[in-house]
Amino acid sequence: MNMNPVPSLPRGFTLLELLVVMVIIGLLASFVGPRFFAQIGKSETKVARTQLDALEKALDQYRLDVGRYPDTAQGLAALMERPSGMVRWSGPYLKKTVPQDPWGRPYLYKSPGEHGEFDLLSYGKDGQPGGVGEAEDITNW
């Protein structure tokens, strides 16, 4: 007499169980996703503010050496290469090349500025003047 029980067949998940799990994962992603991407936008803005601060310090060092800020035509390139006729230039004033903003566009520089001795800005993510949130202008004033 054989007392071995009949082996049970492996049991998988039903379609209903899989759908419930997929709905739960979708709900979690819908809550976490927007918060994650909002943090990425905030970090790009922080990077732009930090770069503006570093450029301001380099421009201040340039002014201490030369006696004035570079004019608009010389631009931020004057921080890396000696402008013609500048005897007291002691640069380069940045360790690396002049950075672009986090969205891949050059920072705008104007000297004399409308808001101070020089204006330095990025138009933010949208590349247009004005805006709010990630599209807000990042300035040195």
Side-chain angles (χ1 to χ4, degrees):
M1 187 153 101
N2 189 358
M3 299 298 275
N4 288 339
V6 176
S8 63
L9 296 174
R11 186 167 179 266
F13 294 105
T14 66
L15 181 59
L16 182 61
E17 289 169 329
L18 289 174
L19 288 174
V20 168
V21 169
M22 290 176 59
V23 167
I24 291 171
I25 291 172
L27 288 171
L28 288 173
S30 70
F31 288 123
V32 173
R35 292 181 188 205
F36 174 75
F37 289 112
Q39 292 302 320
I40 290 174
K42 287 180 185 176
S43 67
E44 288 173 332
T45 301
K46 287 179 184 177
V47 167
R49 290 190 192 286
T50 302
Q51 287 177 334
L52 278 182
D53 185 53
L55 289 171
E56 279 185 284
K57 289 176 181 170
L59 286 163
D60 288 340
Q61 186 62 47
Y62 178 97
R63 180 179 178 222
L64 288 172
D65 290 346
V66 174
R68 64 175 181 80
Y69 291 109
D71 60 31
T72 303
Q74 293 168 329
L76 296 174
L79 297 174
M80 297 303 296
E81 296 178 18
R82 178 190 306 267
S84 61
M86 289 292 165
V87 178
R88 296 177 22 205
W89 189 87
S90 298
Y93 297 95
L94 296 170
K95 290 182 181 180
K96 298 179 181 177
T97 60
V98 177
Q100 292 192 332
D101 70 13
W103 302 279
R105 292 182 291 276
Y107 285 100
L108 303 173
Y109 173 77
K110 183 177 179 183
S111 178
E114 297 173 12
H115 302 278
E117 293 185 75
F118 65 88
D119 291 349
L120 189 57
L121 71 130
S122 166
Y123 283 137
K125 184 175 185 176
D126 66 351
Q128 302 295 319
V132 294
E134 292 179 43
E136 183 178 3
D137 298 348
I138 299 139
T139 66
N140 70 319
W141 60 87

